[in-house]
Amino acid sequence: MVVRGEGSGGGASCRRGRRRRRRRRRRRRRKEERGCYGLPQAGILANKLLKKRLAKHGYFELPHTPGLFKHISRPVQFTLVVDDFGIKYVGEDNLQHLLNAIEQDYTLSVDRTGGLYCGITLKWNYKERYLD
């Protein structure tokens, strides 16, 4: 029988403690990645995670308009309502920058006509500059 003191470098109880800490860290990471569907705070958690991920690419939420995001230097703005992005951009490369930032962590489908947003059918007339 071998008995080790606390300061002597470990043993079975030390290994168990390390395993426990590793499991906790893995659980925390998984919880961040997958979200908590069905919980009241699920939307808030998903929004915080999205903000953190987009901040790496230079996007931030405007302080006085929740759901409206902007890039620090590119002419790109977008609104986020649940899972719909409404994007206003100048130049194809700026749009592609935003789409690449989102696609790193999420799967998405793109409708370049902007025909359906938040369940509302939109008919854009760019020549006469109005929306039906």
Side-chain angles (χ1 to χ4, degrees), residues 64-106:
H64 300 294
T65 313
L68 179 62
F69 291 78
K70 192 175 178 179
H71 191 270
I72 51 177
S73 62
R74 294 176 181 261
V76 176
Q77 291 183 345
F78 64 92
T79 59
L80 172 62
V81 179
V82 184
D83 62 350
D84 284 343
F85 289 84
I87 305 170
K88 175 185 169 185
Y89 63 95
V90 176
E92 193 66 30
D93 57 330
N94 294 319
L95 172 66
Q96 201 57 48
H97 182 266
L98 173 62
L99 294 178
N100 291 339
I102 296 170
E103 283 177 336
Q104 283 184 358
D105 301 301
Y106 304 97

Side-chain angles (χ1 to χ4, degrees), residues 49-72:
L49 184 59
L50 177 71
K51 285 181 199 176
K52 186 172 92 174
R53 289 176 173 171
L54 288 178
K56 295 175 190 173
H57 300 282
Y59 295 95
F60 64 96
E61 187 172 23
L62 296 174
H64 300 294
T65 313
L68 179 62
F69 291 78
K70 192 175 178 179
H71 191 270
I72 51 177

Side-chain angles (χ1 to χ4, degrees), residues 2-88:
V2 177
V3 179
R4 293 190 178 179
E6 287 186 24
S8 66
S13 65
C14 188
R15 279 192 297 266
R16 267 182 269 152
R18 274 186 294 217
R19 282 189 208 126
R20 210 174 293 131
R21 283 191 297 275
R22 266 191 243 126
R23 267 186 260 137
R24 278 191 211 126
R25 270 183 266 155
R26 276 191 226 122
R27 269 190 231 124
R28 267 188 243 125
R29 267 188 248 128
R30 272 191 242 124
K31 191 174 182 181
E32 275 184 9
E33 290 170 2
R34 70 176 177 217
C36 304
Y37 302 105
L39 293 177
Q41 65 270 31
I44 294 168
L45 294 173
N47 194 322
K48 284 182 181 180
L49 184 59
L50 177 71
K51 285 181 199 176
K52 186 172 92 174
R53 289 176 173 171
L54 288 178
K56 295 175 190 173
H57 300 282
Y59 295 95
F60 64 96
E61 187 172 23
L62 296 174
H64 300 294
T65 313
L68 179 62
F69 291 78
K70 192 175 178 179
H71 191 270
I72 51 177
S73 62
R74 294 176 181 261
V76 176
Q77 291 183 345
F78 64 92
T79 59
L80 172 62
V81 179
V82 184
D83 62 350
D84 284 343
F85 289 84
I87 305 170
K88 175 185 169 185

